[in-house]
Amino acid sequence: MRAIITGSGIGIPKNVVTNEMLSRIMDTSDEWIRTRSGIEQRYYADPGEGSAELGMIAARNALAAAGRETGDIDALVFATMTPNYFFPGNGPVVQAKMGFGEIACYDIRQQCSGFLYGLDLADALIRSGKHQRVLLIGAEVHTPFMPWENGWDITIGRDDRQVTPEEYAANTAIRDRTVLFGDGAGAVVIEAVDDESRGLLATKLFTDGSNVEALYVPGVGFRKRPYVSREQIDASDPIPVMEGRAVFKEAVSRMPAAVRAVCEETGADVADIDVLIIHQANLRIVEGVAKQLGLPPEKVPHNIERYGNTTAGTLPILYHELIADGRIQPGMLVCFTTLGSGLHWGAALYRA
Ligand code: UT7
């Protein structure tokens, strides 16, 4: 018994935000963002458009591609670090709004590794015989992390004023993170097949929580009383903090190791990989990992230039684009790899 992906879809908001647009509200430039990260633009959700809404668009497209109806799905896994509500997670929101049966809904986080962990969970649910068809969604809206009162409406054309010097300075103070992220969702339908020659072959998941502060949100959180307070907001605690260089170093060493480990588990050579679907956090990381693994650029596609980093959305969005334009063909060996906040990282090998 194996788990195979029978359909995929994406949900991308309509607002294109270019690097130049960001340079109107903070001290940054198209040149800096392109050179350091490879990003040219990203998409921002509209107010009221949450990760559940983007996830539902992706889910509908994935169901249609798989030729399935909501009634065919017997479990839902939703990976996001930016759910519509603090609790419950997006699972029940999607279950009710899309009209699924009273099925099991798993809400998982794992940030940039959310989709990979979800793939592993779906595989375990299917291979244990517990479920036959699982819908897996990875979706994120990062925009609510931004301090919108500081002129961010200018980026989506809802305001044409000039930011004040104070707002410009406040936006510049967080420019190292904000320019990298975009909103978006991807989804896949995963089904049980009685065919050992294809599907998910192996996964290797890892966690090292010895420095969770490398990439985290200091507040709001339940160690504080109350868990959300004016003081935390004034201290910008709801805005993510990232040690960019430290995370970069972890990414370029741990992802190649995970890819090698998952290949070893199945007896495959790294050179056998036809397509490496790698988390889209920084083009320099993508290129660095490809180089370390000795994989040529044509085997390591990227779309970070258009979407930025969509956290749990990057792997399924890229997978969907590669299926849609034929770069993934039946029989190809596909490897997924990612690393992000936690740190959580890993790799999966999949025979298309
Ligand atoms: O998906 C989750 C996992 N996340 C990642 O994998 C991210 C990993 N880290 C990175 O991708 C990179 O470290 C960044 C893109 C975040 C930063 O690139 P960097 O080459 O490491 O730059 P840096 O942090 O060393 O900053 C270099 C300079 C600094 O100025 P000084 O101190 O040299 O004068 C920054 O203040 O660039 C400045 N800077 C900016 N300048 C213009 C930082 N952000 C910006 C900006 N625009 N947006």
Side-chain angles (χ1 to χ4, degrees):
M1 179 70 69
R2 290 237 189 255
I4 63 160
I5 301 174
T6 55
S8 63
I10 59 176
I12 307 299
K14 70 173 195 308
N15 304 301
V16 177
V17 176
T18 63
N19 296 339
E20 190 276 325
M21 287 167 169
L22 291 176
S23 72
R24 290 184 215 160
I25 62 166
M26 68 180 82
D27 182 11
T28 191
S29 65
D30 179 53
E31 203 269 334
W32 191 96
I33 301 172
R34 269 177 205 257
T35 313
R36 301 283 177 143
S37 73
I39 298 166
E40 296 169 16
Q41 60 165 56
R42 73 287 292 140
Y43 293 85
Y44 281 2
D46 270 331
E49 192 174 35
S51 54
E53 283 68 33
L54 295 181
M56 284 189 282
I57 298 169
R60 285 194 188 95
N61 291 332
L63 285 171
R68 294 293 182 191
E69 312 267 329
T70 49
D72 299 325
I73 300 297
D74 44 24
L76 172 64
V77 181
F78 203 123
T80 187
M81 63 169 197
T82 53
N84 281 22
Y85 305 110
F86 209 109
F87 76 83
N90 280 346
V93 176
V94 171
Q95 181 273 336
K97 286 199 171 155
M98 286 184 65
F100 286 97
E102 292 174 353
I103 56 173
C105 289
Y106 299 83
D107 281 294
I108 63 167
R109 293 160 54 133
Q110 277 76 33
Q111 299 67 247
C112 302
S113 298
F115 183 81
L116 187 74
Y117 271 67
L119 211 52
D120 189 58
L121 174 58
D123 182 55
L125 293 171
I126 285 172
R127 292 226 264 175
S128 68
K130 206 162 185 169
H131 295 298
Q132 295 295 304
R133 295 186 201 106
V134 178
L135 174 67
L136 168 61
I137 304 172
E140 226 72 68
V141 286
H142 296 102
T143 37
F145 281 128
M146 322 298 188
W148 282 81
E149 69 281 7
N150 290 344
W152 284 75
D153 269 329
I154 296 166
T155 62
I156 56 169
R158 287 173 172 260
D159 199 343
D160 58 6
R161 71 185 176 89
Q162 292 232 310
V163 289
T164 66
E166 292 73 25
E167 290 169 336
Y168 191 83
N171 291 335
T172 299
I174 53 171
R175 65 184 175 176
D176 58 315
R177 289 143 275 167
T178 49
V179 301
L180 302 176
F181 293 94
D183 302 334
V188 291
V189 176
I190 305 171
E191 307 196 25
V193 285
D194 214 359
D195 179 354
E196 294 296 310
S197 68
R198 59 200 180 115
L200 206 59
L201 307 178
T203 51
K204 281 283 194 187
L205 303 184
F206 304 93
T207 299
D208 177 358
S210 57
N211 184 15
V212 293
E213 289 90 0
L215 179 47
Y216 81 129
V217 178
V220 299
F222 286 86
R223 217 160 43 116
K224 309 271 174 66
R225 293 182 189 172
Y227 78 101
V228 55
S229 65
R230 174 57 53 199
E231 289 72 29
Q232 288 182 64
I233 292 166
D234 288 345
S236 297
D237 282 356
I239 297 175
V241 169
M242 179 168 76
E243 295 168 17
R245 285 186 182 193
V247 178
F248 191 103
K249 277 190 194 152
E250 298 282 1
V252 292
S253 64
R254 293 199 189 270
M255 282 194 282
V259 170
R260 287 194 186 100
V262 82
C263 284
E264 201 173 305
E265 179 132 325
T266 61
D269 279 338
V270 171
D272 296 337
I273 294 171
D274 294 303
V275 183
L276 181 69
I277 301 183
I278 176 173
H279 177 51
Q280 303 290 294
N282 187 321
L283 187 59
R284 290 188 295 146
I285 295 176
V286 173
E287 291 169 348
V289 171
K291 195 169 167 203
Q292 283 198 54
L293 291 170
L295 292 172
E298 59 274 18
K299 283 190 173 185
V300 191
H302 50 83
N303 59 11
I304 188 169
E305 55 278 9
R306 282 177 288 130
Y307 297 109
N309 183 348
T310 57
T311 300
T314 68
L315 298 184
I317 293 172
L318 185 52
Y319 172 83
H320 174 78
E321 291 193 338
L322 298 172
I323 286 285
D325 68 16
R327 275 183 285 172
I328 293 179
Q329 289 293 326
M332 279 186 164
L333 189 61
V334 178
C335 184
F336 294 89
T337 188
T338 184
L339 174 138
S341 164
L343 298 173
H344 297 291
W345 72 98
L349 263 191
Y350 179 82
R351 179 73 67 184

